[in-house]
Amino acid sequence: MKASRIGWGLACGVLALTAYVAWDNWGDTWLAPAKPATSPAANTTAGPLEKSAQIERGQYLARAGNCVACHSARGAEPMSGGRRIETPFGAVFSSNLTPDAATGIGTWSPQDFWQALHHGRSKDGRLLTPAFPYNHTSVITREDSDDLLAWLQSLPAVHQPVQPHTLMWPVGTQAALAVWRSLFFSPAPFKADPAQSAEWNRGAYLVKGLGHCAACHSPRNALGASGAVDDLSGGLMPVVNWYAPDLTRESETGLASTPLADIVQLLRTGQSRQAQTSGPMAEVVQHGTQHMTEADLQAMAVYLQSRASKAATAATATVRAKVSLVVAEKGLQIYDRHCVQCHGEQGQGITTATGDAAYPALAGNRAVLLSDPTNLVQTVLYGGYGPATALHPRPFGMPPAVLELDDRDIAAVLTHLRTQWGNQANEVTPLQVNRIRAAQGH
């Protein structure tokens, strides 16, 4: 009898949990009124000039959100989907967002598109995988959602069926996605802070929503969930294995003390007097931020700077690492052979006539001094390349050394960078280099 009661109790608990998860993920559709028989793709009452302006706004928003980076496979038409996106749980393939009726979003209404952005659900109610950052797109206003759709519907239709995802079971099932969403997802429509300026609020909207900065700049847990849309505390990006620095810490980014004009320049061109972009951030600049208006970049800079902490660097960061004589000599030899011509004998770098960094200084460089050396190892292994932008079309680059330097060589030269010219950071070990190299399959 007791076992029977326990069994009934467990069954009731499972049923209650199932009902909650179902309601949490689809409850709003059960209460929504029936859709009209037709599904207009956009506002049919708009005149030609108004429609043209809406499409232009939508194109701008798509660029600000860097949509093309994920929704365009190499060699394919823009926004036709099919790009393979690796995750720790397998691969997903991006959706075709062109107005093809069979394989794209040609039959989607503004409400269907809004549902995808705000709730992370497809037109048919299917839950989308969180590789699509719908926690961030839920921030986007309905007006911006409609403008985005208007632009997408203006593109040439491309018939390109998307390949099925190859996620490990049961990760890709609707049941598993529903549970994951109940644990980690809740729509976060933007709410302006009345205590802040209109410029600050515009920056917050762009950073939290279209910019989806926290998708990279926040840590992820074992189930792949990132922090809140305003969590900029940094973390290691899975699969690509780049470290996204903590944007709220002065010691990692210097945002609190960097002039706003220089932050804007970095977002627009990929480089400034203090920093250069590389890796995933270079792609963001190339496909996204370089196309944004000066006012929007300024707003983002204002918001990011306000979030940056001005706390002093911890005292432990000033303790110089103890390096063996063998490692020190080896690091100096490799630096003299491969690095000194561009970065200088004192790590001072080379600047252009306009004051921009052709080759960045390594002395006092925050990227060099990060406690996590992942980005340094990645740069030496695979090269460092900034984005080609309209205002900086021919950036200088750094050749890869993946086939030339072994793990001990890379560890030694990076230790040299981190312990010379006043730099005081921990030694990089061959084991750390080996793990990063192995994670990339080389």
Side-chain angles (χ1 to χ4, degrees):
M1 182 67 71
K2 183 177 180 180
S4 176
R5 287 198 298 269
I6 292 175
W8 273 108
L10 288 175
C12 290
V14 170
L15 287 173
L17 180 60
T18 301
Y20 167 76
V21 170
W23 177 262
D24 186 46
N25 285 277
W26 292 282
D28 61 298
T29 64
W30 301 338
L31 299 177
K35 292 183 180 180
T38 58
S39 295
N43 183 5
T44 56
T45 64
L49 292 178
E50 184 180 351
K51 182 67 176 178
S52 176
Q54 184 183 33
I55 290 172
E56 186 176 346
R57 290 194 302 270
Q59 182 182 40
Y60 175 80
L61 295 168
R63 284 177 168 173
N66 194 19
C67 303
V68 69
C70 288
H71 288 279
S72 305
R74 180 173 296 180
E77 291 295 322
M79 307 306 294
S80 62
R83 176 169 177 174
R84 182 186 179 97
I85 301 171
E86 298 290 348
T87 79
F89 312 102
V92 300
F93 293 86
S94 60
S95 302
N96 179 359
L97 296 185
T98 72
D100 180 68
T103 65
I105 59 172
T107 63
W108 284 38
S109 71
Q111 181 61 29
D112 296 330
F113 192 68
W114 166 252
Q115 174 177 270
L117 296 187
H118 191 73
H119 294 288
R121 289 195 306 260
S122 187
K123 177 183 178 181
D124 59 4
R126 174 176 51 87
L127 303 179
L128 302 173
T129 66
F132 169 48
Y134 42 75
N135 55 334
H136 291 280
T137 60
S138 73
V139 174
I140 296 173
T141 65
R142 179 59 188 262
E143 181 182 7
D144 282 353
S145 173
D146 290 350
D147 290 348
L148 271 169
L149 180 62
W151 175 70
L152 292 170
Q153 294 288 5
S154 74
L155 299 176
V158 179
H159 186 83
Q160 180 166 291
V162 178
Q163 300 181 52
H165 305 323
T166 58
L167 296 168
M168 65 178 68
W169 190 89
V171 173
T173 64
Q174 289 291 288
L177 286 172
V179 172
W180 186 94
R181 288 160 53 98
S182 291
L183 290 172
F184 304 117
F185 169 65
S186 180
F190 182 72
K191 296 180 180 178
D193 185 344
Q196 300 290 347
S197 67
E199 184 178 50
W200 186 96
N201 277 298
R202 175 64 176 173
Y205 174 72
L206 291 168
V207 168
K208 295 177 185 180
L210 286 165
H212 57 285
C213 301
C216 293
H217 288 278
S218 70
R220 291 183 179 267
N221 63 23
L223 295 178
S226 61
V229 294
D230 61 349
D231 183 350
L232 303 174
S233 60
L236 186 66
M237 300 168 63
V239 181
V240 296
N241 291 308
W242 281 80
Y243 175 74
D246 183 346
L247 299 182
T248 66
R249 291 185 62 187
E250 178 71 4
S251 61
E252 294 203 4
T253 63
L255 281 174
S257 59
T258 300
L260 288 174
D262 288 355
I263 300 174
V264 170
Q265 182 185 4
L266 184 67
L267 294 173
R268 168 153 283 176
T269 68
Q271 73 159 24
S272 68
R273 290 176 296 176
Q274 292 86 1
Q276 291 186 327
T277 60
S278 188
M281 188 61 198
E283 185 178 82
V284 170
V285 172
Q286 182 163 355
H287 297 300
T289 56
Q290 73 156 315
H291 302 290
M292 297 176 69
T293 64
E294 188 84 11
D296 276 349
L297 293 178
Q298 176 81 7
M300 292 176 69
V302 166
Y303 173 74
L304 290 172
Q305 190 170 76
S306 76
R307 294 287 313 279
S309 169
K310 297 182 180 180
T313 304
T316 54
T318 63
V319 178
R320 183 167 181 166
K322 294 181 179 179
V323 182
S324 71
L325 183 60
V326 173
V327 171
E329 290 180 349
K330 187 179 185 69
L332 176 60
Q333 291 171 1
I334 296 171
Y335 184 83
D336 286 343
R337 187 164 67 247
H338 293 278
C339 315
V340 71
Q341 183 175 359
C342 295
H343 295 287
E345 292 184 358
Q346 299 301 314
Q348 73 273 20
I350 297 177
T351 58
T352 65
T354 59
D356 295 328
Y359 297 104
L362 303 177
N365 190 312
R366 291 183 178 85
V368 172
L369 298 172
L370 281 174
S371 58
D372 188 325
T374 297
N375 295 355
L376 284 178
V377 175
Q378 289 271 40
T379 300
V380 174
L381 283 174
Y382 308 112
Y385 302 99
T389 58
L391 297 180
H392 191 56
R394 295 182 179 87
F396 294 92
M398 174 176 163
V402 63
L403 300 179
E404 189 170 0
L405 301 180
D406 63 23
D407 296 342
R408 286 185 172 83
D409 292 335
I410 294 174
V413 72
L414 292 183
T415 296
H416 178 77
L417 305 185
R418 288 159 66 86
T419 56
Q420 298 298 307
W421 320 303
N423 290 346
Q424 297 177 347
N426 293 331
E427 177 182 4
V428 178
T429 68
L431 179 59
Q432 287 175 301
V433 177
N434 181 262
R435 286 175 174 171
I436 296 168
R437 187 195 292 260
Q440 299 299 112
H442 296 286

